[in-house]
């Protein structure tokens, strides 16, 4: 799909290999960088913390350093709502400096922010971190709850619902997220360093997600409820979106009802119903 765009070029590279990466991009004049590559997932970071540390710290340091060397005017990168950990401040606010991540994944993203802040200060780079809140939708991550739930539903497998379903997530649809990223590339931000929440600004109940999936797929889940919460997970995410609205005039539009319908429609098209 991307190859249809004549300006698109794909380079298959390991971002942890600084010398190869440097060599490959030598010929390019780069104005802006949008760095979205990482090993995502709180639970994956619990299962294999060293891999998450390696992927997310080395690759990030390589990309931001090459951006400095190439005199990139704007360095935009993916952070995460996971940096907030178990903060008690709702909604999650970028001005909350006391947040401590509760997962290795969240710690890597928080580390990225600290590195970016130092680069912005030392080298006068524009570094903007986007704290994404539970991004979902077509072409999404199969390890995330909404996707794995539907996979299990199609295969008649039971799903496990943690904390007996009493969980809330600030589900943010991918189309809204893409609009935010594009807006960031275009808008002028006065400060050299910023972090911005990119979330819907309204948490939804986990069971609402479950019910919307089975409603749109027209099939009932087999559910196993547990009071346990996986290591590193938190019960609720909730973004304060005032900064995004003020800085980039961004206002997410897609509700969970609309978003899950779009996702299920896409899933049917790509995976069928059996």
């Amino acid at each position: 799909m991307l190859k249809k765009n004549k300006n698109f070029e794909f380079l298959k590279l390991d971002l942890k290999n600084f010398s190869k990466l440097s060599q490959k991009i030598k010929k390019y004049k780069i104005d802006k960088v949008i760095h979205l590559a990482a090993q995502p997932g709180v639970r994956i970071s619990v299962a294999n913390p060293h891999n998450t540390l390696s992927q997310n710290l080395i690759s990030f340091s390589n990309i931001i350093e090459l951006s400095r060397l190439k005199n990139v005017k704007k360095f935009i990168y993916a952070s995460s709502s996971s940096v907030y950990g178990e903060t008690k401040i709702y909604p999650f606010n970028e001005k909350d400096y006391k947040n401590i991540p509760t997962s290795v994944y969240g710690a890597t993203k928080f580390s990225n922010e600290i590195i970016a802040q130092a680069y912005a200060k030392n080298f006068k780079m524009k570094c903007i971190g986007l704290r994404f809140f539970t991004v979902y939708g077509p072409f999404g991550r199969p390890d995330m709850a909404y996707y794995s739930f539907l996979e299990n539903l199609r295969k008649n497998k039971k799903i496990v619902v943690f904390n007996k379903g009493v969980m809330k997530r600030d589900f943010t649809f991918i189309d809204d997220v893409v609009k935010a990223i594009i807006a960031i590339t275009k808008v002028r931000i006065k400060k050299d360093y910023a972090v911005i929440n990119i979330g819907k600004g309204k948490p939804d109940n986990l069971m609402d997600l479950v019910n919307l999936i089975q409603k749109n797929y027209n099939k009932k889940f087999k559910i196993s409820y547990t009071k346990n919460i996986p290591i590193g997970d938190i019960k609720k995410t909730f973004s304060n979106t005032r900064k995004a609205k003020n800085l980039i005039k961004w206002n997410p539009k897609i509700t969970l009802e609309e978003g899950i319908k779009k996702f299920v429609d896409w899933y049917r098209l790509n995976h069928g119903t059996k």
Side-chain angles (χ1 to χ4, degrees):
M1 289 171 70
L2 291 168
K3 284 178 180 176
K4 291 176 185 175
N5 188 319
K6 64 180 182 180
N7 295 319
F8 173 79
E9 187 173 351
F10 176 70
L11 305 175
K12 188 173 182 178
L13 293 167
D14 181 355
L15 300 185
K16 299 194 301 300
N17 191 324
F18 185 85
S19 58
K20 276 192 178 180
L21 191 58
S22 179
Q23 191 64 34
K24 282 284 187 180
I25 67 168
K26 192 177 284 185
K27 66 177 181 178
Y28 299 100
K29 185 180 183 300
I30 303 171
D31 185 49
K32 299 181 183 78
V33 166
I34 305 169
H35 177 54
L36 304 177
Q39 172 56 67
V42 168
R43 293 176 200 173
I44 291 171
S45 77
V46 172
N48 193 344
H50 182 261
N51 181 61
T52 296
L53 287 166
S54 172
Q55 298 288 353
N56 295 1
L57 298 180
I58 298 172
S59 62
F60 183 86
S61 62
N62 284 348
I63 294 294
I64 197 169
E65 172 62 4
L66 285 169
S67 296
R68 179 186 74 84
L69 294 172
K70 298 289 284 186
N71 295 312
V72 166
K73 291 185 175 66
K74 193 179 281 186
F75 179 77
I76 301 160
Y77 64 96
S79 187
S80 167
S81 61
S82 296
V83 303
Y84 288 106
E86 290 184 334
T87 179
K88 303 301 180 202
I89 298 173
Y90 292 106
F92 294 175
N93 193 311
E94 297 95 338
K95 292 178 182 178
D96 176 11
Y97 299 113
K98 294 181 180 178
N99 50 293
I100 300 173
T102 56
S103 66
V104 171
Y105 171 67
T108 64
K109 289 299 184 178
F110 202 33
S111 299
N112 290 167
E113 291 185 2
I114 294 167
I115 293 165
Q117 188 171 13
Y119 263 75
K121 188 173 183 178
N122 293 171
F123 310 116
K124 301 302 176 188
M125 287 175 65
K126 289 277 185 191
C127 296
I128 302 136
L130 306 182
R131 290 178 175 173
F132 295 127
F133 281 71
T134 317
V135 181
Y136 74 101
F139 298 99
R141 278 170 41 207
D143 64 295
M144 289 184 71
Y146 75 97
Y147 203 125
S148 64
F149 282 179
L150 186 47
E151 281 276 278
N152 283 1
L153 185 61
R154 178 170 68 91
K155 296 172 182 176
N156 293 311
K157 290 183 178 179
K158 191 178 289 185
I159 63 168
V160 178
V161 173
F162 295 104
N163 202 41
K164 295 188 175 180
V166 186
M167 307 272 274
K168 285 178 179 283
R169 288 290 180 270
D170 198 332
F171 294 105
T172 315
F173 192 67
I174 184 61
D175 290 13
D176 282 329
V177 171
V178 170
K179 286 174 183 173
I181 295 170
I182 292 170
I184 288 283
T185 66
K186 294 178 178 178
V187 76
R188 181 176 175 271
I189 293 178
K190 293 177 183 177
K191 292 182 179 179
D192 285 337
Y193 173 76
V195 290
I196 306 169
N197 286 341
I198 302 297
K200 190 168 80 272
K202 175 186 173 294
D204 291 287
N205 294 314
L206 176 62
M207 292 311 298
D208 288 341
L209 173 79
V210 170
N211 291 329
L212 284 167
I213 291 171
Q214 61 185 10
K215 175 187 172 185
N216 282 281
Y217 203 69
N218 198 27
K219 188 176 179 181
K220 288 282 185 182
F221 278 111
K222 298 172 185 173
I223 303 175
S224 175
Y225 293 95
T226 175
K227 64 181 180 181
N228 297 330
I229 298 175
I231 296 170
D233 264 23
I234 55 178
K235 293 179 184 177
K236 178 181 176 181
T237 62
F238 180 7
S239 63
N240 182 324
T241 59
R242 189 175 300 137
K243 192 172 182 179
K245 288 172 183 175
N246 291 339
L247 276 180
I248 60 174
K249 312 304 177 195
W250 176 74
N251 201 9
K253 306 285 187 186
I254 308 296
T255 63
L256 186 64
E257 289 80 4
E258 294 172 287
I260 290 300
K261 184 181 186 311
K262 287 175 185 284
F263 169 66
V264 173
D265 289 347
W266 169 85
Y267 185 91
R268 283 183 183 277
L269 201 61
N270 288 272
H271 298 283
T273 55
K274 296 181 181 179

